[in-house]
Amino acid sequence: PTASPTTSPTAQPTVSPTAVPTASPTATPTTTPTAAPTASPTTSPTASPTASPTAVPTASPTAAPTENECVDLTPSGCCQTATNTTGTWVPTDYTVISIGICKQACLTAPFTCFGIQYDSATGECRLFKTVTAFDHTNTSCSTTECCQCITASPTSQPTVAPTTATPTSAPSASPTSAPTSAPSAAPSASPTTSPTAAPTAA
């Protein structure tokens, strides 16, 4: 247009919208949600935890092991005396799962137990009442071990003192022979008389 209107509208429009829109927008929003999803994952983790428990045992052992008080005889085999017999052992019902338990049975026995013989094939545990059973081993017993737990101690103290005594008197006789070597010193006194004859001419 080459010219501006010369008059202004004299009144406001008199018609208002008669209804609200009934249709939804046909386009989706172009921005992404700003909050994280609130739902939990629907699958469980496939890996196991890699950390160990953080709690430690609350109780300590009440006694230290005592099986190391027994000494294993080598080479392994059945216990034997010096005359190749078995010695005196107590027939018991001990059938145990380890040599350590057999040793403990000896150390806590109600009698003096000098050692044990343990057969790992049968679990038989023999408790010996004589120390002579531990002179050596019979190596033909391939699954058996012999262990001595205590040694024999003296049964009494000496009741008398040693019989060897020191001399009670001095020698009763003098030497019967003269010295065999020449005197080592000159006489200590001068002659008591003068010569009685004059020297003779040469």
Side-chain angles (χ1 to χ4, degrees):
T2 59
S4 300
T6 57
T7 58
S8 300
T10 58
Q12 298 291 329
T14 59
V15 179
S16 301
T18 58
V20 297
T22 58
S24 300
T26 57
T28 57
T30 58
T31 58
T32 56
T34 58
T38 59
S40 302
T42 57
T43 58
S44 301
T46 57
S48 301
T50 57
S52 301
T54 56
V56 296
T58 56
S60 301
T62 55
T66 56
E67 71 171 74
N68 59 356
E69 295 177 15
C70 298
V71 178
D72 298 352
L73 271 67
T74 56
S76 298
C78 295
C79 302
Q80 297 282 280
T81 66
T83 56
N84 295 322
T85 60
T86 58
T88 303
W89 54 279
V90 179
T92 65
D93 295 328
Y94 287 124
T95 300
V96 297
I97 60 174
S98 73
I99 190 172
I101 297 176
C102 186
K103 290 177 181 179
Q104 185 64 26
C106 177
L107 295 170
T108 58
F111 55 88
T112 301
C113 176
F114 289 94
I116 61 100
Q117 178 178 293
Y118 177 71
D119 189 338
S120 59
T122 62
E124 181 188 29
C125 173
R126 295 184 179 184
L127 308 183
F128 285 87
K129 298 182 72 174
T130 55
V131 71
T132 55
F134 305 99
D135 182 77
H136 64 282
T137 58
N138 179 357
T139 57
S140 64
C141 307
S142 59
T143 61
T144 304
E145 293 184 65
C146 179
C147 306
Q148 185 172 0
C149 296
I150 61 174
T151 57
S153 302
T155 56
S156 62
Q157 297 290 335
T159 56
V160 295
T163 56
T164 303
T166 57
T168 56
S169 61
S172 58
S174 300
T176 58
S177 61
T180 57
S181 61
S184 59
S188 59
S190 301
T192 55
T193 60
S194 300
T196 56
T200 60

